[in-house]
Amino acid sequence: MLINLDPSDERPLYQQIVDEVRRALVLGTVAAQDPLPSVRALATELRVNPNTVQQAYRELERAGIVYSRRGQGTFVADPGTGERELLLRDVAERALKDARRYGIEADELADAILRAAELHPSTPSTAGDS
């Protein structure tokens, strides 16, 4: 599973991991019952403290996105039909929060997103694309 962390992102690292796992689920990069990397393996790969990965996994488990089997690891749960809607809401809330910080209203943001979409037609993206 490809997870990219952005040190310039204001979100905590554990939240970036959570968002990347959720994104992978929505995009189909991971499927129900797929194992996630061990905490230690992912921490090593991402060069973060294992506690950061553990916190992300706990958050994902609380949200019902993954489950743990003692001694076997962490696995992707069967996705609910609302996972894409939840991800969309989270992205929209983050964009709106950032926009308001710069004095941009919701309708202005929506118009800008539509204009940007016209300039950049939808194509499958990979983690870390801008």
Side-chain angles (χ1 to χ4, degrees):
M1 175 174 33
L2 181 63
I3 294 180
N4 290 317
L5 299 181
D6 180 0
S8 65
D9 192 323
E10 292 182 0
R11 292 174 297 153
L13 292 174
Y14 85 90
Q15 187 62 54
Q16 290 183 50
I17 295 169
V18 168
D19 291 345
E20 287 290 306
V21 171
R22 291 177 70 193
R23 181 175 186 269
L25 181 60
V26 169
L27 293 176
T29 308
V30 296
Q33 309 311 318
D34 282 354
L36 292 183
S38 71
V39 168
R40 188 169 298 166
L42 188 57
T44 300
E45 178 184 328
L46 298 176
R47 296 188 178 129
V48 299
N49 189 305
N51 291 330
T52 301
V53 176
Q54 184 63 46
Q55 184 176 6
Y57 281 11
R58 273 195 309 266
E59 190 72 24
L60 287 163
E61 193 163 7
R62 261 185 247 133
I65 296 167
V66 302
Y67 64 93
S68 296
R69 285 190 198 145
R70 188 178 193 113
Q72 294 183 6
T74 303
F75 299 84
V76 177
D78 288 324
T81 56
E83 182 59 27
R84 186 171 181 84
E85 289 79 16
L86 287 172
L87 182 63
L88 179 60
R89 186 196 71 214
D90 289 349
V91 168
E93 287 175 356
R94 266 198 313 272
L96 187 55
K97 180 180 174 184
D98 287 345
R100 286 187 174 148
R101 200 172 348 169
Y102 294 103
I104 299 169
E105 294 299 322
D107 57 343
E108 294 175 290
L109 176 62
D111 289 342
I113 290 172
L114 291 173
R115 285 193 305 274
E118 290 172 2
L119 294 173
H120 306 284
S122 180
T123 56
S125 63
T126 57
D129 284 353
S130 297

